[in-house]
Amino acid sequence: MIIGVPKEIKNNENRVALSPAGVQVLVTAGHQVVMETDAGLGSGFTNEQYQQAGAQILHTAQDVWHTADMVMKVKEPLPEEYAFFRPGLILFTYLHLAAEEKLTKALLDNKVTAIAYETIQLADGSLPLLTPMSEVAGRMAVQVGTQFLEKPRGGKGILIGGVPGVSPGRVVIIGGGVVGTNAAKMAMGLGAQVTILDINPDRLRELDDLYGGRLVTLVSNSYNIEMAVREADLLIGAVLIPGARAPKLVSEEMVQQMASGSVIVDVAIDQGGSIETIDRVTTHSHPTFVKHGVVHYAVANMPGAVPRTSTLALANVTVPYALKIANLGVANALQEDSALALGVNTIDGHLTYKAVAEAHQLPYTPLDQVPGTESW
């Protein structure tokens, strides 16, 4: 199989889908890898390093898309890339289609086999290809949030860890999954007063066992969210429903009750966001806006700001799945691996992920009912 890796074009997206090590794994297995010129520079990998690992360097994104049987990316394709779609193309990347109706329709119209990193799901419910970026984003949420609490950045002028004789800042995290847990670790490490809310009491018990009195745990409901948000210096949205739009849990009225100069970081923005006052996606170039006196950070590709770490962490988990697809072919790979099959969002013009279909009110076809799959 020919695997292609174009350069990412999203604002300040410096990650790349394959590291030189990942290229070497695929080439050693007998496959061909084509890379767009300078695709890895943002992550610190040169064309020469990729060539030494066995990749062929092509001059343009069009060359890569047209040559490859399977295109690997980091972020969802942007409209200027839709022209490269074609029947039979395998696209393996983060897609977040529940928040991307135009992309969904472009993939369907062009009969692309689109496999989303974020919906590959193991039997225990875990999301192995989303986990490393959730770890990065959770830790970054505290890192960027504390920066914007500084007065010159529009914040209320709070040092999140306080100092002797001065109370620490209050960090509220909605969601106790991978993002929320990593955010809590970072915030507690800085000495903040941390509250985490989740709908699952068992998850709250696990967090309490891990962190005891260092972490306040609350069951997530509208009353507890309102009380916690009102007192927050830094609010982090960390809610995820696999493949679906994030629920709006923090209302505009709740945000209005926050003190001026407080900061909100919504990590769920790439799935539509969980904060009602966030009505736009921001970029690393212009990461924040102020509404009701509160600083809102809504960057959809947070890990792109730390591309070296993020690229290596992502490639660690994506390459084994890419190798399986390349070795077996997509049909055999999906038949053999039920977790990978859950990653299929579109195939041959059919929308095969229910949450995406519901988000856009489009027809849903279970993967095993797509014509031709009965022989798998």
Side-chain angles (χ1 to χ4, degrees):
M1 184 175 283
I2 303 173
I3 297 98
V5 179
K7 187 174 183 178
E8 298 293 325
I9 60 173
K10 195 178 184 77
N11 180 279
N12 278 286
E13 180 51 75
N14 290 297
R15 289 174 290 181
V16 62
L18 284 177
S19 64
V23 168
Q24 188 172 72
V25 168
L26 292 165
V27 170
T28 299
H31 306 291
Q32 183 180 349
V33 178
V34 294
M35 307 276 303
E36 184 181 351
T37 301
D38 296 339
L41 280 185
S43 294
F45 300 119
T46 65
N47 295 329
E48 290 73 24
Q49 287 176 297
Y50 283 113
Q51 288 173 317
Q52 289 169 5
Q56 180 183 355
I57 304 298
L58 302 182
H59 290 296
T60 68
Q62 180 175 329
D63 292 337
V64 172
W65 283 90
H66 287 176
T67 302
D69 303 308
M70 175 169 65
V71 168
M72 292 183 68
K73 286 177 54 29
V74 178
K75 290 303 292 179
E76 71 284 347
L78 297 182
E80 51 263 51
E81 295 173 299
Y82 297 177
F84 300 139
F85 294 169
R86 66 181 190 274
L89 174 70
I90 304 167
L91 176 62
F92 192 32
T93 185
Y94 287 118
L95 286 169
H96 301 291
L97 291 184
E100 294 284 350
E101 184 175 4
K102 290 182 180 178
L103 173 57
T104 302
K105 290 180 177 179
L107 293 168
L108 292 170
D109 291 344
N110 289 280
K111 297 185 176 182
V112 175
T113 298
I115 305 174
Y117 292 162
E118 75 275 6
T119 65
I120 292 175
Q121 189 167 17
L122 299 176
D124 63 1
S126 62
L127 304 167
L129 274 61
L130 187 61
T131 295
M133 294 304 94
S134 295
E135 292 168 336
V136 171
R139 297 180 185 208
M140 278 193 67
V142 175
Q143 184 171 299
V144 300
T146 54
Q147 291 174 15
F148 285 104
L149 277 171
E150 296 172 4
K151 197 68 175 178
R153 308 293 292 275
K156 59 171 63 172
I158 283 182
L159 180 64
I160 202 72
V163 292
V166 180
S167 297
R170 292 161 294 194
V171 176
V172 173
I173 303 164
I174 302 177
V178 177
V179 170
T181 300
N182 279 272
K185 287 178 182 177
M186 286 290 286
M188 286 186 291
L190 291 172
Q193 175 185 315
V194 183
T195 299
I196 195 164
L197 298 96
D198 197 274
I199 59 173
N200 185 348
D202 290 333
R203 180 56 184 157
L204 296 178
R205 291 188 185 97
E206 292 171 356
L207 291 168
D208 184 72
D209 286 342
L210 285 170
Y211 302 112
R214 298 175 59 205
L215 177 66
V216 176
T217 57
L218 292 175
V219 170
S220 182
N221 56 48
S222 58
Y223 182 88
N224 283 342
I225 291 173
E226 182 176 1
M227 294 302 103
V229 167
R230 180 186 300 164
E231 301 299 323
D233 299 309
L234 171 58
L235 171 64
I236 297 173
V239 177
L240 173 72
I241 300 174
R245 287 188 70 90
K248 299 294 185 184
L249 298 179
V250 177
S251 68
E252 184 163 2
E253 290 74 19
M254 293 179 190
V255 174
Q256 288 175 318
Q257 296 178 46
M258 297 177 72
S260 180
S262 300
V263 175
I264 296 174
V265 177
D266 194 355
V267 182
I269 191 61
D270 53 9
Q271 290 289 110
S274 58
I275 314 294
E276 192 173 55
T277 46
I278 296 183
D279 55 3
R280 74 200 82 163
V281 176
T282 62
T283 66
H284 288 294
S285 295
H286 299 93
T288 64
F289 61 90
V290 178
K291 192 168 186 178
H292 303 306
V294 177
V295 179
H296 293 63
Y297 179 99
V299 175
N301 61 326
M302 291 175 65
V306 286
R308 182 76 175 195
T309 297
S310 297
T311 290
L312 292 170
L314 182 61
N316 284 343
V317 294
T318 57
V319 168
Y321 285 96
L323 184 62
K324 179 172 287 189
I325 295 169
N327 284 345
L328 300 178
V330 69
N332 290 333
L334 298 179
Q335 185 177 17
E336 180 178 292
D337 193 323
S338 59
L340 182 61
L342 289 172
V344 179
N345 281 214
T346 69
I347 186 169
D348 197 26
H350 298 272
L351 182 52
T352 57
Y353 203 84
K354 189 174 184 180
V356 175
E358 291 174 346
H360 303 311
Q361 298 182 326
L362 291 170
Y364 162 65
T365 306
L367 182 60
D368 59 5
Q369 294 179 25
V370 173
T373 59
E374 64 273 1
S375 62
W376 291 5

